Amino acid sequence: MAEGETELPGSKKCGPYISSVTSQSVNLMIRGVVLFFIGVFLALVLNLLQIQRNVTLFPPDVIASIFSSAWWVPPCCGTASAVIGLLYPCIDRHLGEPHKFKREWSSVMRCVAVFVGINHASKVDFDNNIQLSLTLAALSIGLWWTFDRSRSGFGLGVGIAFLATVVTQLLVYNGVYQYTSPDFLYVRSWLPCIFFAGGITMGNIGRQLAMYECKVIAEKSHQE
């Protein structure tokens, strides 16, 4: 160090600390982008599966719907997926309850497959709305029990389902969005279950991405 220069206390740690914070921010952004595109992809896939039913969340023609007044639906689903996927591991850390149940990508892929199956099950004809709601609710809770089993995951899933359902109904009531069938009660009976299962699914994907990131960081620090 040259004469006349003074070294601030803790200056040796300042560089590595800033580098670590920047790295975490970049990793967080990458996870958010990945979750966003996963959400958009799942929204389009579920749209395709819903085309052949009388009640759909999207207009009948999937290609035309992307450029129609509902073009904003897949990006909104992607944004919601990114928020949910980042929120789950954050809540786990805040509560001090790291999620360790079935933490592998094969389990996450099975969870996605079950979620798509639950969405497809809403096409089955039931005698009344109560049977449909109870069946989808049982399947959704079964998905949580099979792939999550955390209190935070269940609570967030219920909160997400309630909030998403309320937002959807407000959009419909205000004419911003509308269903393709006048049977509004039938749609409302299965929407919360789909939102709950979707929240659990995106939460598991977000947790797995966060765990993979932690493994990579741990390996790099060990090599250094």
Side-chain angles (χ1 to χ4, degrees):
M1 182 180 299
E3 294 183 2
E5 294 183 358
T6 58
E7 182 179 356
L8 295 176
S11 60
K12 293 183 178 180
K13 298 181 180 180
C14 183
Y17 175 76
I18 294 177
S19 177
S20 176
V21 171
T22 303
S23 178
Q24 291 179 0
S25 301
V26 172
N27 292 332
L28 186 67
M29 185 179 300
I30 292 175
R31 274 195 288 144
V33 171
V34 172
L35 289 166
F36 174 82
F37 283 107
I38 292 176
V40 171
F41 175 76
L42 286 178
L44 295 176
V45 170
L46 297 183
N47 183 23
L48 288 172
L49 295 177
Q50 292 288 341
I51 287 176
Q52 301 300 324
R53 61 174 297 152
N54 294 327
V55 181
T56 64
L57 283 176
F58 301 100
D61 190 351
V62 63
I63 302 299
S65 67
I66 297 178
F67 302 100
S68 69
S69 59
W71 63 267
W72 46 267
V73 174
C76 287
C77 292
T79 302
S81 299
V83 173
I84 294 170
L86 296 176
L87 185 61
Y88 265 73
C90 179
I91 295 296
D92 290 339
R93 289 193 299 269
H94 179 72
L95 296 177
E97 298 178 355
H99 186 262
K100 299 180 179 179
F101 182 72
K102 292 188 176 182
R103 297 295 296 271
E104 63 273 349
W105 280 110
S106 59
S107 175
V108 173
M109 297 306 297
R110 288 195 298 269
C111 181
V112 173
V114 173
F115 168 59
V116 174
I118 292 175
N119 178 81
H120 191 67
S122 63
K123 295 175 61 176
V124 179
D125 294 329
F126 290 85
D127 294 334
N128 51 62
N129 295 342
I130 296 179
Q131 291 184 2
L132 172 64
S133 300
L134 292 178
T135 300
L136 293 182
L139 292 174
S140 300
I141 294 176
L143 180 142
W144 167 79
W145 180 258
T146 304
F147 301 102
D148 194 318
R149 296 191 186 182
S150 66
R151 293 176 297 177
S152 59
F154 185 84
L156 282 173
V158 172
I160 290 167
F162 175 78
L163 181 61
T165 302
V166 170
V167 171
T168 302
Q169 309 314 328
L170 289 176
L171 292 176
V172 173
Y173 284 139
N174 291 300
V176 179
Y177 191 75
Q178 61 182 0
Y179 300 110
T180 57
S181 171
D183 193 358
F184 182 68
L185 292 177
Y186 181 74
V187 176
R188 189 169 56 187
S189 64
W190 57 266
L191 264 183
C193 300
I194 298 299
F195 286 138
F196 175 84
I200 297 298
T201 302
M202 294 310 304
N204 280 339
I205 295 176
R207 283 167 167 168
Q208 192 65 25
L209 289 174
M211 187 187 70
Y212 177 77
E213 176 185 318
C214 291
K215 284 184 176 180
V216 172
I217 294 175
E219 291 177 357
K220 289 184 178 179
S221 61
H222 180 72
Q223 293 176 356
E224 293 176 356

